[in-house]
Amino acid sequence: MYADKFDLKKYIRFKSEIERVSKSEDFVETGRWKLTIKDTTTGVSTEETFDAVVVCTGHHAYKHYAKFPGMEKFKGEIVHTHDYKYSAPYKNKKAIVVGVGNSGIDAAVDLSHVTSPVYLSTRRGAWVQRNIGPKGVPGDFVTTTRWNSYLESTLPQSWTDSANERRVNQNFDHTLYSVKPKHRISGQHPSVNDDLPLRLASGSVKMKPNIKRFTESHVEFDDGSIVTNVDVVVLATGYDYGYPFIDKDVVDVQENVLDFYLYEFLPDLEKQTMAFIGCIQPTGAIMPIAELQCRYAMQVFKGEKTLPSPAAMWADIKRRRSAVRGRYVNTQRHTIQVDYITFLDEMASKVGCKPNILRYLLTNPVFAMKLIFGPCTAYQYRLRGPNSWEGAKKAIENQWERTEKATMVKDPPAVERQGWGMPGLYTIAGVIMLAVLIRVFYW
């Protein structure tokens, strides 16, 4: 429907594989790129030249296999979660899952429906959050708000960590179930799963520490415990980043470090005609950020925006890298972390579409409350600036109703929604205005 509305299909080339992206011979003058494109129906490859390239393949290029002593002797099956599709082939088999990121927890929960117990091994544990928020609404609709972002950027990190850790421990006690890590909740990309607590409580998933070594049929863990006659080990050990179809002299990723300005542009290109979209790990949804990255890339390509000097871009890259290392556990998983609303607003400032919260507080405080306390959805970045949308305000005002409607199989009886009430709204507006004035540059 989207492609039809905007007449995009004529620009889409199906059944085509990009084998190579390299600079054209006259790149320094033109900024053009030479692409080797394979027709997958005929197997014939051709070369074409383009004015700009936007890379939207993400950053996960290669499966990362953890190595353990004796692994080569193991007679059972070892599979990466990339190749794990469904649980049926593992019915009644003894399984170990390695890693408590999102993929690892999902795989362990899925396997526990066909075999029990499933052993879930972790080096350092994790803070496990829920997908579903209060009253069954989407969790990020409640948590990814400007108000929460403001508090987290203003209050001491230890305060917000303690509050968030208490919140997730209300779901299940991470210490009791041997999941609690040594790092604080803000020090790791969140693991999200609603079913794990029930599986741990029922014993169908059992926690284990890191693997010490393999034998032909057994797996020994760091605490000395052994699981015998193991049939399958599922490695949820992540990915290595890279772009195998782009020449190495253009981009060569080492140890998952992406030297991209704003996680998007290569600072040393003679002509800024290549952009990478979605090479980030946000604390919220990736699509609104990717949309803003695309908008900014188009402005740069068209000459409407100019990137800083290479030296300034490198300084920004190093600053972000230092901030990530200072906050997160030092692993290859944590190299491209961004805070959702903070980065959204930064990209929106570049595009010129950041919403003016202070203006709405002064002219339309009721709507301002929706912007501040409601979910920060992509509509907020269509209220003003280039390519604004006249329907954005209405979409923000009724997004809760539309979200609730999607969960209902029939229309509910008419019930008056509980609101703040106008006196309460204006009182809150006054408090927020004061906070905003104190931190005016934040907005």
Side-chain angles (χ1 to χ4, degrees), residues 171-190:
N171 188 28
F172 74 102
D173 189 316
H174 285 59
T175 301
L176 181 65
Y177 286 96
S178 301
V179 187
K180 182 180 178 181
K182 293 180 180 179
H183 58 264
R184 303 304 299 269
I185 194 169
S186 63
Q188 185 181 47
H189 190 73

Side-chain angles (χ1 to χ4, degrees), residues 3-29:
D4 289 340
K5 178 175 176 61
F6 295 100
D7 195 24
L8 297 178
K9 288 184 179 178
K10 63 185 179 184
Y11 300 111
I12 300 174
R13 190 178 306 181
F14 295 98
K15 299 181 180 179
S16 299
E17 178 185 343
I18 306 300
E19 294 184 312
R20 183 185 179 192
V21 177
S22 59
K23 294 179 179 178
S24 65
E25 289 76 6
D26 58 352
F27 179 83
V28 176
E29 292 78 27

Side-chain angles (χ1 to χ4, degrees), residues 26-40:
D26 58 352
F27 179 83
V28 176
E29 292 78 27
T30 66
R32 291 178 178 172
W33 298 90
K34 185 168 60 178
L35 273 64
T36 304
I37 306 172
K38 179 181 178 180
D39 186 325
T40 58

Side-chain angles (χ1 to χ4, degrees), residues 215-321:
T215 68
E216 290 188 355
S217 59
H218 307 338
V219 175
E220 181 180 353
F221 299 91
D222 283 345
D223 62 355
S225 62
I226 298 174
V227 176
T228 60
N229 301 318
V230 178
D231 297 302
V232 59
V233 175
V234 179
L235 297 178
T237 48
Y239 295 84
D240 293 327
Y241 304 166
Y243 301 92
F245 52 91
I246 302 178
D247 279 6
K248 295 294 185 183
D249 65 339
V250 177
V251 57
D252 186 14
V253 180
Q254 300 293 329
E255 296 182 348
N256 287 1
V257 175
L258 302 180
D259 290 325
F260 299 168
Y261 172 64
L262 294 175
Y263 304 100
E264 183 171 7
F265 296 99
L266 297 169
D268 292 330
L269 278 183
E270 298 91 338
K271 297 286 185 179
Q272 287 296 341
T273 54
M274 175 177 280
F276 295 80
I277 306 301
C279 298
I280 47 176
Q281 290 187 163
T283 51
I286 197 171
M287 291 304 179
I289 298 177
E291 180 186 11
L292 284 171
Q293 288 184 315
C294 288
R295 293 171 69 180
Y296 190 46
M298 295 307 107
Q299 291 176 330
V300 171
F301 292 168
K302 291 191 293 182
E304 297 173 358
K305 302 286 185 179
T306 302
L307 295 179
S309 67
M313 287 192 279
W314 273 112
D316 183 82
I317 291 168
K318 292 175 181 178
R319 176 185 62 81
R320 294 178 193 275
R321 188 184 303 165

